[in-house]
Amino acid sequence: MSVGILVFPGSNCDRDVRWATEGCLGIPTKFIWHESTDLSGIDAIVLPGGFSYGDYLRCGAIARFAPALTSLIKFVNDGGKVLGICNGFQILTELGLLPGVLIRNKQLNFICKNIDLCIESQRTNWFSEYQAQTNIKLPIAHGEGCFYCDDDTLKEIQDNDSIALRYHSNPNGSTFDIAGITNKKGNVLGMMPHPERACDADLGNLDGRKILESLIS
Amino acid sequence: MTIFRANITVNLRPSVLDPAGEASKEAALRLGIQGVNKIRIGKSILVEIEATNKEEAIQNIEMLSDRLLSNPVIENWTFDLNNIDLQQGA
C-alpha cells in the first residue's frame, strides 16, 4: 500500500505529510508532480497544504486545472481515497469534488494555532477508529479557511452525514462551525486542520495519526 | 480574426460576507467620510481575446468567467464587450 502526495508550485506541506506518513507511520509515500497524470501503484492520495500557484485568483482556482487532477477525478470515481488538507481542501472544492468553498477568515487574520475539534460522523472509515463525538486537537494555519455554503447545500451535507469535523470554538466564521467534510461516497475528505502536524511524538500531539493511518485502511 | 476586449467584473454574491469590505467601511469612517453604507470588494479583469466573430468571443468569455475567473458558489460576474477598438486583418 502506498500514498501519493500531489505537489503543486507553492505547496509547502508536502514534505510534512511525507514525514508523517512515511517517517512516522511507515507507509510508503511518493511525490507526484502536478504535471504527471500517472497515478499507477498509488492507493491513496493527499493534496497537501500550502499556497498552490500563490493563491492567485482564488485559493485552489488554478491548481484545479493541473493535468494530475484529471487523473485524480478518475481515481476518485473508481473509489480511491483522497485527503485534501488546507489548500488541498480548497482545491477539492474548486474542483467540485466537495461542496462549498473556503473564503477569507471572518476576522481577516491569518490564524495559526492548535484548535479543539469534534469528530461529527463515523459514517466513513476516515474516522471509524475514533469513538463517536470524540474531541481531538489539531493545528490550523490559514487565512482563507472560512467554509461557506448556502442553506440548501448545508442541508444536503447534513442529510448525507458528510460533516466530518466541527470546531468547538469557531475561529474563522465557517458555516455551522465546519472544519472538514466528506463527499457523499465517503472516499474524499477535505479538512482545514493539519493532521500531519500531529503525528510525531516529538511535537507533543498524536491526534492526527489515525486520520492518516486511515488512508490505507 | 478580430481581437475583442472584455472588461469582466467579479463580485461576491450578496449573501456572502465580505470581511475586507466591512473593514474598509470602518476605515472610511476613520478617513472622515460619513455616510458610507456599503463597501463590497470585487475584481475587475481585463481580457483581450481573438475570435472569428462577436458571438464566439462572448461564448468564450462566458466560459472563462464562469469556470475560471469566478467561483459561482460565492461570486457573480458580468462583462461588457463594447470596446472592440483593437482590430487586425484576418
Side-chain angles (χ1 to χ4, degrees):
Chain A
M1 300 292 275
S2 64
V3 167
I5 300 168
L6 285 191
V7 183
F8 301 90
S11 296
N12 67 5
C13 298
D14 42 340
R15 286 172 177 79
D16 298 28
V17 173
R18 187 167 188 167
W19 171 249
T21 55
E22 198 163 58
C24 300
L25 302 174
I27 306 167
T29 303
K30 74 173 193 179
F31 293 130
I32 301 163
W33 184 235
H34 67 114
E35 288 177 341
S36 169
T37 54
D38 181 14
L39 302 179
S40 57
I42 299 295
D43 300 289
I45 292 173
V46 179
L47 277 68
F51 302 84
S52 58
Y53 293 92
D55 278 353
Y56 295 157
L57 204 54
R58 297 177 306 281
C59 304
I62 296 178
R64 75 169 261 219
F65 291 102
L69 295 193
T70 308
S71 302
L72 184 86
I73 290 170
K74 184 175 184 307
F75 184 84
V76 167
N77 290 339
D78 291 343
K81 291 183 86 168
V82 172
L83 169 62
I85 303 165
C86 200
N87 187 226
F89 185 13
Q90 294 163 341
I91 294 169
L92 290 172
T93 59
E94 280 284 339
L95 197 58
L97 287 176
L98 290 173
V101 63
L102 284 310
I103 59 175
R104 185 84 68 91
N105 293 345
K106 190 175 180 182
Q107 303 300 330
L108 289 169
N109 49 344
F110 188 98
I111 309 167
C112 183
K113 65 176 184 181
N114 286 311
I115 198 146
D116 292 314
L117 298 154
C118 180
I119 291 167
E120 282 292 301
S121 168
Q122 291 174 292
R123 178 179 69 91
T124 64
N125 72 356
W126 294 102
F127 298 102
S128 56
E129 294 295 312
Y130 291 91
Q131 300 291 317
Q133 299 293 305
T134 299
N135 295 321
I136 60 173
K137 191 186 285 281
L138 291 176
I140 55 170
H142 58 244
E144 289 171 300
C146 172
F147 180 81
Y148 172 83
C149 65
D150 61 27
D151 292 343
D152 290 344
T153 306
L154 178 61
K155 183 171 187 318
E156 192 180 325
I157 58 179
Q158 285 175 313
D159 290 347
N160 292 338
D161 194 14
S162 284
I163 298 172
L165 290 165
R166 290 180 73 201
Y167 300 108
H168 274 281
S169 178
N170 193 334
N172 53 26
S174 289
T175 302
F176 201 59
D177 308 327
I178 289 173
I181 55 172
T182 52
N183 63 346
K184 190 175 179 182
K185 201 169 170 182
N187 58 326
V188 178
L189 167 65
M191 57 190 288
M192 288 312 296
H194 288 264
E196 80 279 13
R197 298 185 190 178
C199 288
D200 188 328
D202 288 345
L203 297 180
N205 182 358
L206 296 174
D207 283 359
R209 286 180 80 110
K210 286 179 183 171
I211 297 172
L212 295 186
E213 281 169 349
S214 69
L215 281 164
I216 56 163
S217 68
Chain B
M1 296 288 271
T2 307
I3 300 176
F4 295 89
R5 178 181 288 173
N7 287 297
I8 302 163
T9 304
V10 177
N11 279 312
L12 283 171
R13 288 176 182 263
S15 58
V16 179
L17 179 70
D18 178 10
E22 291 298 316
S24 301
K25 202 170 79 175
E26 294 299 316
L29 267 181
R30 291 179 185 168
L31 180 63
I33 299 177
Q34 306 292 322
V36 177
N37 291 329
K38 185 192 275 191
I39 295 184
R40 303 282 290 173
I41 298 175
K43 294 175 193 145
S44 175
I45 301 159
L46 173 67
V47 175
E48 288 183 1
I49 185 169
E50 286 186 26
T52 51
N53 54 53
K54 191 174 180 182
E55 287 68 34
E56 183 187 301
I58 287 173
Q59 196 177 7
N60 286 336
I61 291 291
E62 284 178 346
M63 186 183 287
L64 196 63
S65 302
D66 203 50
R67 297 195 46 199
L68 176 63
L69 300 177
S70 76
N71 182 334
V73 176
I74 46 166
E75 292 167 325
N76 292 321
W77 49 266
T78 57
F79 67 89
D80 70 71
L81 200 68
N82 295 324
N83 296 330
I84 314 170
D85 53 1
L86 297 175
Q87 296 200 348
Q88 65 183 29

